[in-house]
Amino acid sequence: MCMVIFAPQNKECKHRFYLLFAIFAFATCGGYSGGLRLSVDCVNKTDSNLSIDIAFAYPFRLHQVTFEVPTCEGKEREKLALIGDSSSSAEFFVTVAVFAFLYSLAATVVYIFFQNKYRENNRGPLIDFIVTVVFSFLWLVGSSAWAKGLSDVKVATDPKEVLLLMTACKQSSNKCMAVHSPVMSSLNTSVVFGFLNFILWAGNIWFVFKETGWHSSGQRYLSDPMEKHSSSYNQGGYNQDSYGSGGGYSQQASLGPSSDEFGQQPGGPASFTNQI
């Protein structure tokens, strides 16, 4: 089981989380369709329309969503459209999610079936590191842009804002109201999963970097001066000990009397006795 997401040895588990989170991100956004219902109750009941349905969906080109409403002036109708266009941010978000899904799927296959080739040289870990950094940035940008786009969608599809567009609702004699509002829970979930994907990808940058040659060369660069310093220190300490022991031995030898001197001292009195 994939218990540790950010562990470098669990590459298969890591990319399974990539796959799962990416699927939730583009499914909750790209598969959305919703709508709202309004009612216009005119003074002349025959002109009323109590069920005006307005449907919209991904990619949220709201300015292309049109609907007809009564003017409460006979049988005349007016054609209106919602305001705004959030297609660029929504499509960019879904595109990032789809490409992240495809890359994670391909990387999972490589890790499972081509692990030896992945570790033959530094190219595999280096590509993995670069792609991880790029997708971290894309997830951050895409999620932020889509969060702003979703905010615009919520404002444009707010029933109160849509009612302000109708000519009949500007007359106090007519009664305009919202029957039901659009449900945005899945779109809110897509934004949450977008930022979770950013955290997931960005949190693995360091672990992927540790597998590249850049990290290995940096470690060797730091370890070589330390080894040289350690060897020079040991060499200097050995020479100092040798010098100290040699100097101490010479000094001790010079302080003590020699065997010749001890042999000559008793010779003086013996020769004097002989002369006597």
Side-chain angles (χ1 to χ4, degrees):
M1 294 180 65
C2 302
M3 298 300 294
V4 183
I5 300 177
F6 301 116
Q9 64 271 20
N10 292 337
K11 297 183 183 64
E12 299 86 352
C13 296
K14 175 183 67 176
H15 282 277
R16 288 174 190 173
F17 277 98
Y18 287 169
L19 288 170
L20 184 63
F21 279 45
I23 290 173
F24 279 115
F26 71 73
T28 52
C29 179
Y32 178 83
S33 61
L36 63 154
R37 179 174 293 176
L38 307 174
S39 68
V40 178
D41 189 8
C42 303
V43 176
N44 186 0
K45 300 301 182 181
T46 58
D47 299 336
S48 301
N49 189 346
L50 303 180
S51 180
I52 303 173
D53 292 321
I54 305 173
F56 60 95
Y58 173 85
F60 306 103
R61 294 186 176 94
L62 301 180
H63 65 286
Q64 297 179 358
V65 178
T66 60
F67 54 97
E68 291 185 353
V69 296
T71 60
C72 294
E73 297 176 356
K75 298 297 181 180
E76 185 180 355
R77 301 265 177 177
E78 67 175 338
K79 190 175 184 179
L80 301 174
L82 296 178
I83 299 174
D85 184 5
S86 300
S87 59
S88 58
S89 59
E91 289 176 341
F92 179 75
F93 178 80
V94 172
T95 301
V96 171
V98 170
F99 276 101
F101 168 80
L102 294 176
Y103 171 75
S104 300
L105 184 63
T108 303
V109 173
V110 171
Y111 289 148
I112 294 176
F113 298 104
F114 304 99
Q115 183 67 239
N116 294 331
K117 291 186 178 180
Y118 176 81
R119 295 186 175 278
E120 279 182 358
N121 48 44
N122 190 42
R123 183 176 300 176
L126 187 59
I127 293 175
D128 197 11
F129 170 71
I130 294 175
V131 173
T132 301
V133 173
V134 171
F135 269 111
S136 300
F137 175 75
L138 292 177
W139 274 119
L140 177 61
V141 174
S143 300
S144 301
W146 171 229
K148 177 60 171 63
L150 177 57
S151 176
D152 296 338
V153 170
K154 290 180 178 180
V155 172
T157 58
D158 186 356
K160 295 181 180 179
E161 297 293 329
V162 179
L163 290 175
L164 294 177
L165 301 175
M166 302 180 185
T167 303
C169 297
K170 296 177 181 178
Q171 301 175 8
S172 59
S173 58
N174 301 321
K175 296 180 180 179
C176 301
M177 60 182 299
V179 178
H180 71 75
S181 302
V183 179
M184 300 287 188
S185 57
S186 63
L187 296 181
N188 294 330
T189 304
S190 68
V191 174
V192 172
F193 273 104
F195 284 106
L196 286 177
N197 273 285
F198 163 70
I199 295 173
L200 184 64
W201 284 80
N204 278 285
I205 290 178
W206 169 246
F207 297 106
V208 178
F209 174 73
K210 289 173 67 176
E211 298 181 359
T212 63
W214 294 342
H215 180 266
S216 301
S217 61
Q219 291 291 100
R220 288 195 300 268
Y221 178 78
L222 292 175
S223 61
D224 288 345
M226 295 179 63
E227 292 178 356
K228 291 181 180 179
H229 179 72
S230 177
S231 61
S232 62
Y233 177 79
N234 293 333
Q235 186 177 2
Y238 173 78
N239 293 335
Q240 184 177 4
D241 293 341
S242 301
Y243 175 79
S245 60
Y249 177 77
S250 301
Q251 185 177 5
Q252 184 177 3
S254 61
L255 289 175
S258 61
S259 59
D260 295 337
E261 293 176 353
F262 278 102
Q264 291 176 0
Q265 286 179 359
S271 59
F272 180 74
T273 306
N274 293 333
Q275 289 179 2
I276 295 175

